[in-house]
Amino acid sequence: MNKRFFVAILAIMISGTALAQKQIKSWNKNLVIAHRGAWKTQNLPENSIASLNEAIRLKCFGSEFDVQFTKDNIAVVNHNADFLGKDIATSTYQELLAYKKLSNGESIPTLVEYLKAGLTQKKTKLILEIKPQKTPEREEALTKAVIATVNELKAAPWIEYISFSHYICTYVIANVPGARVSYLNGEIEPAKLKEQGFYGLDYNQNVFKKNPDWIKQAHAAGLIVNVWTVNAEKDMSRLLEQNVDYITTNEPELLFTKLKK
Ligand code: MG
């Protein structure tokens, strides 16, 4: 191949990669993660598409949401194991649709619907919590379904995974190269998480009160530190002083007000 031609092709390839990187790095530059979307101030239902859209409108870095699994293997967005009183694991998706709607008139969102709403923008990340299920088999089936949906929708750049289930977390780490996975349950020290391939730890603020060195240890290990669920101003102040990477809150507006001071 002609040497100049080769160099020109190489330059185009490098600039293309740089452009792709730049697009991926378009996320809002703040540490605010809206917990189950931004719902409180506008009186929206938690985990609704409306609460996701509100987190996007507020320019949060991330919007967190919870994923459960129906009896007929549909991943749906809901915090509790029941949807407004109806058990999700023993109900079909159609049964949940027929049962009730959210207070704003939305049906229980499927993961597909929720991700499609999130993918309309490139500023707010989607912090996807895979909820523990009753058996390891159901946990694996849900996690596989989530991964397949993320792949089909090409949503990977938007997604950071979190779970209380260590089994779910390690399944994602083993099966999704480059996945950003943080552990929620709080009992594992930072160095161990690093060894296990985690991207970060996302622990209850009380864990860091009990283990005051863990934020520094996590950073020394190259882990990202997220803290939940931080709603009081004094707790926000303390964690900002400790240089945590993200704060997950029901009060994103309050946290933004503090950050502007
Ligand atoms: Mg959650």
Side-chain angles (χ1 to χ4, degrees), residues 140-152:
E140 189 167 317
L142 169 56
T143 307
K144 276 184 180 166
V146 168
I147 293 168
T149 298
V150 169
N151 287 340
E152 271 161 35

Side-chain angles (χ1 to χ4, degrees), residues 9 88 105 109 117 187 226 261:
I9 293 289
I88 294 173
E187 82 284 15
N226 188 352
K261 275 180 194 165

